[in-house]
Amino acid sequence: MFSYYSSLSTELYDFTKPVGHSVRGDIEYYLERLRGTKGKILEAAVGSGRFLIPLLENGYTVDGIDYSPQMLTSCRERCRERGLNPNLYEGNLCNFSLPSKYEAIVIPTGSFCLIETLENAKETLKCFYSHLITGGRVIIDLEIPNGWRTGEISTSTFSLSEEEGILLENKSVEINWISQYTLSHLKYEKWRKGKLVDTELQKFKMRWYGLEEFKFILESIGFSEITCSSEYNYKKLPLKETQLITFEAVRKK
């Protein structure tokens, strides 16, 4: 019944978040945090290259992995247009196996929260750990829900051209305070000359974590030197109103 970052959602993502589009300053922040990195970097949930390509263009060696073949197809096309040819892998973050080890693994802008279950999140972190060199680090953004209203429906329209556009309906379905997730249904409709030509329905589930909870999970896997900051302001402790937390952690062994 539901799609997962299929053709229409990829098309809309590319339209609203072109290559180099910085979401709340994430690209600038990560370029600063990765300064001095000489080895390979892996971007998990690479999507269509919005974030990957600026890293490549700044001289970093970066691979990418994503679960969506449509997103990866777009990423390859965008890289090819710029004369770039990174290693891009299709795979599930909770059980992937790649031929390289990395000095850094990054997953920016809350994409980690799209991993629906706690068990899969732990398996993903184990995969990250096993793909890091000794002394390598992960940098992970987490989103915290704010202002949620169950049943709320919002609609946005995006004009792709004079003849085509995409309508996006976002319905807030559920917030579960025990299992710590929000659930939305996203309905994409593509219109051409006033006629509906394509549609997709996407289940959008976001899981959140407490600060001490996530620190404990990282420690249980073997990570150390764990730090966190808020809203892309390094060394600034999270405030009660913040929505974005960035964790960094190191593989010591």
Side-chain angles (χ1 to χ4, degrees):
M1 177 177 178
F2 295 99
S3 64
Y4 182 81
Y5 286 99
S6 194
S7 300
L8 283 188
S9 56
T10 298
E11 185 175 7
L12 183 58
Y13 186 93
D14 289 352
F15 180 76
T16 58
K17 298 180 179 66
V19 170
H21 174 79
S22 185
V23 178
R24 291 188 286 184
D26 62 346
I27 293 175
E28 294 84 356
Y29 175 84
Y30 275 81
L31 286 173
E32 174 63 26
R33 299 304 309 137
L34 292 168
R35 183 178 296 176
T37 302
K38 303 298 183 184
K40 297 185 74 173
I41 299 167
L42 175 67
E43 185 191 351
V46 67
S48 58
R50 172 194 71 86
F51 183 91
L52 171 85
I53 290 172
L55 295 187
L56 293 169
E57 292 179 337
N58 274 272
Y60 293 102
T61 302
V62 192
D63 295 347
I65 183 170
D66 202 281
Y67 186 70
S68 167
Q70 290 85 0
M71 281 285 195
L72 287 171
T73 295
S74 177
C75 188
R76 291 188 180 97
E77 291 175 353
R78 290 169 140 188
C79 286
R80 193 177 302 116
E81 290 170 355
R82 294 162 173 81
L84 303 170
N85 188 32
N87 295 317
L88 298 175
Y89 302 96
E90 182 180 340
N92 193 317
L93 294 186
C94 67
N95 59 15
F96 67 91
S97 179
L98 302 183
S100 296
K101 298 282 188 178
Y102 298 93
E103 186 176 345
I105 297 177
V106 300
I107 180 164
T109 326
S111 294
F112 189 88
C113 298
L114 295 173
I115 301 169
E116 292 192 359
T117 69
L118 178 59
E119 293 73 20
N120 283 348
K122 290 178 178 178
E123 292 302 312
T124 295
L125 291 171
K126 290 177 183 177
C127 276
F128 288 176
Y129 190 89
S130 67
H131 281 81
L132 286 170
I133 62 172
T134 300
R137 57 185 169 142
V138 292
I139 311 178
I140 300 170
D141 291 344
L142 301 178
E143 292 270 8
I144 297 175
N146 185 30
W148 179 271
R149 294 181 181 178
T150 300
E152 185 174 70
I153 300 175
S154 62
T155 304
S156 304
T157 57
F158 304 88
S159 296
L160 306 178
S161 68
E162 291 184 0
E163 295 183 349
E164 288 188 334
I166 292 177
L167 184 147
L168 172 62
E169 179 186 279
N170 184 336
K171 182 176 182 179
S172 302
V173 176
E174 177 189 2
I175 186 167
N176 189 313
W177 294 101
I178 303 300
S179 298
Q180 297 176 195
Y181 69 80
T182 60
L183 175 64
S184 302
H185 288 170
L186 306 180
K187 182 168 69 173
Y188 300 83
E189 295 181 346
K190 188 170 186 179
W191 294 79
R192 183 181 300 127
K193 294 183 177 180
K195 294 184 179 180
L196 182 64
V197 294
D198 199 4
T199 186
E200 289 175 5
L201 184 63
Q202 180 180 348
K203 182 173 69 172
F204 191 78
K205 190 174 183 180
M206 293 282 287
R207 196 178 193 286
W208 77 86
Y209 300 83
L211 300 184
E212 292 301 319
E213 174 191 18
F214 199 71
K215 180 180 178 182
F216 176 79
I217 293 170
L218 290 169
E219 289 174 337
S220 71
I221 289 165
F223 286 104
S224 60
E225 298 183 31
I226 300 166
T227 61
C228 64
S229 57
S230 66
E231 301 296 342
Y232 296 135
N233 187 355
Y234 183 58
K235 293 185 178 178
K236 178 182 177 183
L237 292 177
L239 303 175
K240 62 180 181 180
E241 297 298 330
T242 192
Q243 289 182 263
L244 184 75
I245 307 296
T246 302
F247 275 84
E248 287 194 37
V250 176
R251 173 176 176 162
K252 276 297 189 182
K253 298 181 180 179

